[in-house]
Every structure is written in C-alpha cells, then in structure tokens.
Amino acid sequence: EPEVTQTPSHQVTQMGQEVILRCVPISNHLYFYWYRQILGQKVEFLVSFYNNEISEKSEIFDDQFSVERPDGSNFTLKIRSTKLEDSAMYFCASSEIGANYGYTFGSGTRLTVV
Amino acid sequence: AQSVTQPDIHITVSEGASLELRCNYSYGATPYLFWYVQSPGQGLQLLLKYFSGDTLVQGIKGFEAEFKRSQSSFNLRKPSVHWSDAAEYFCAVGARNTPLVFGKGTRLSVIA
C-alpha cells in the first residue's frame, strides 16, 4: 500500500536554530499538508499546498514557517528560528483529487527544541 | 465553524467487551468523516472513512462506524475489544482535498 514517508523520525535542535522536516507524499497525490500535534493534545492543521503554492494556512503557520516542493517528490517544512513551543510531532499528509479519494498521513517527525 | 467533539477523554473497557467511541461534528457542507488510531509515539493510522452512500462503514481491525446525519454523529464501534486496541482514537471531519479538523481524541485503555 502506498505510504507517505517522513524523515527524520526524531530531531533534536537548539532554540533559535533552523530545521527542515522532509516528506515524500504518495506519488499520484496532488494536495499536501502539514499538521502538528503537541504532546498530549489534538492534531492541528498548519498548511496545505497545491499546484506549487500554499492553498490554505492556519494561524499557527506564521512567518517562521515555510513550505517548499523542491523537486517532484519531496515536500518540506522549514522552521526558521525554532522556539521551545515548536516541540511537537509534525505529520505530513497527502490527498488526491480523483474519485478514489485518499487522505494518508506519514508516521511523523518528533521535533524536540532544547 | 467546523469542529469535532469527542466527549470522552478516557474510556476503560474489559477485554472482550464491546466498545463505542462517540464523535459529534459541526460542518457546513456534506462532510467526509474519518477515524484514526494512534499508538503511543506513533503516527496516525486510518481505521475507516465515510464519504457517501451506506451510512454504516466497515474498517480495519474489526471496527465500524455509523454516520447519523440527524445527530451529526459518527460513532466508532467494535463488538469485542482486544488488548492491542489500547490507543488514542481521533475523529476528524473535512471535505475533499481540504484540511481535516480533528477532535481532541479519546484514550482507550483495555483491562483483563
């Protein structure tokens, strides 16, 4: 079964550093998403991406965040200057337009800011 | 505004007993509804989804859910719980190719 792949599975970074979280969506999916889950809390939407541009973003997705699809397969989330409160599990997801609609999550990257 | 309510934060059931996890939603359009399961430290695994048609949907691991439009509910059920079902369960609502809105989750504990 097709999967959404995320790397790394766990990243520790110092406050103020930049981090890039990587995702490889399912190949025939055209919509891409990032979600965040702070420990013990619910899953929150960050941003959606379609046709090489952001289609929707939440209040959480401020100027410290950016997304990019640098090539035909990767989809990245960059946090420019990490804060302690950015510590969370970050999930990538992708979905397709077609009739056989699927919405698949990756296994997540646990980001720890120290 | 779109929202999902999972009224039960934590449920404990005995192994072999039946299970029902509640989910109520508020959504302006015809919703797509999902149930995901998350084991500790793990990702989100899709249990089942509802888009249209038969309101009783079957999922993986013996789970099923029933969409009731009049009650804005999409409750998850399993007739006989196994110890391996202990996890966090999330209900989510959305539309085609739109962001999902998640509930706060229900933690399921299973006792012998």
Side-chain angles (χ1 to χ4, degrees):
Chain A
E1 178 149 350
E3 291 184 341
V4 174
T5 305
Q6 290 187 244
T7 55
S9 57
H10 190 189
Q11 179 147 6
V12 181
T13 188
Q14 290 203 327
M15 192 168 51
Q17 294 297 304
E18 174 185 286
V19 295
I20 297 176
L21 309 183
R22 304 180 191 280
C23 170
V24 179
I26 294 174
S27 60
N28 65 336
H29 286 189
L30 298 178
Y31 281 84
F32 314 119
Y33 311 85
W34 284 100
Y35 289 78
R36 180 182 80 176
Q37 184 185 32
I38 294 173
L39 186 63
Q41 298 187 25
K42 70 174 180 178
V43 179
E44 301 173 291
F45 166 71
L46 292 178
V47 64
S48 59
F49 191 86
Y50 171 70
N51 201 26
N52 287 319
E53 61 183 21
I54 291 174
S55 53
E56 193 170 343
K57 60 183 180 179
S58 72
E59 296 173 349
I60 303 169
F61 194 86
D62 61 23
D63 292 344
Q64 290 299 311
F65 292 89
S66 63
V67 290
E68 193 177 39
R69 188 155 164 83
D71 53 42
S73 60
N74 289 285
F75 178 52
T76 62
L77 174 69
K78 181 192 291 186
I79 309 174
R80 288 189 183 80
S81 178
T82 51
K83 303 186 286 285
L84 294 176
E85 54 264 38
D86 293 327
S87 295
M89 182 78 100
Y90 288 80
F91 292 106
C92 175
S94 67
S95 66
E96 60 179 310
I97 297 178
N100 186 24
Y101 180 69
Y103 200 118
T104 306
F105 282 84
S107 56
T109 293
R110 180 169 299 284
L111 176 65
T112 302
V113 182
V114 297
Chain B
Q2 301 125 347
S3 66
V4 175
T5 302
Q6 294 182 245
D8 305 303
I9 296 173
H10 184 200
I11 285 182
T12 300
V13 299
S14 298
E15 191 170 16
S18 64
L19 170 70
E20 182 168 28
L21 302 182
R22 296 183 290 165
C23 172
N24 292 94
Y25 68 90
S26 173
Y27 199 75
T30 300
Y32 287 11
L33 294 156
F34 304 80
W35 275 100
Y36 288 89
V37 61
Q38 184 182 35
S39 298
Q42 301 299 309
L44 297 166
Q45 182 181 24
L46 178 66
L47 285 176
L48 46 78
K49 59 190 178 185
Y50 172 79
F51 298 155
S52 64
D54 191 348
T55 57
L56 184 64
V57 293
Q58 303 296 320
I60 63 171
K61 302 184 180 186
F63 285 93
E64 67 178 27
E66 185 171 12
F67 171 59
K68 293 185 177 180
R69 184 184 299 275
S70 61
Q71 298 176 20
S72 297
S73 70
F74 189 57
N75 294 348
L76 182 72
R77 300 194 293 250
K78 186 170 184 177
S80 178
V81 169
H82 188 261
W83 65 266
S84 60
D85 293 324
E88 189 93 16
Y89 291 80
F90 292 95
C91 181
V93 65
R96 184 178 289 273
N97 298 315
T98 64
L100 296 185
V101 176
F102 282 81
K104 292 185 176 181
T106 298
R107 183 160 61 94
L108 174 66
S109 297
V110 181
I111 58 176

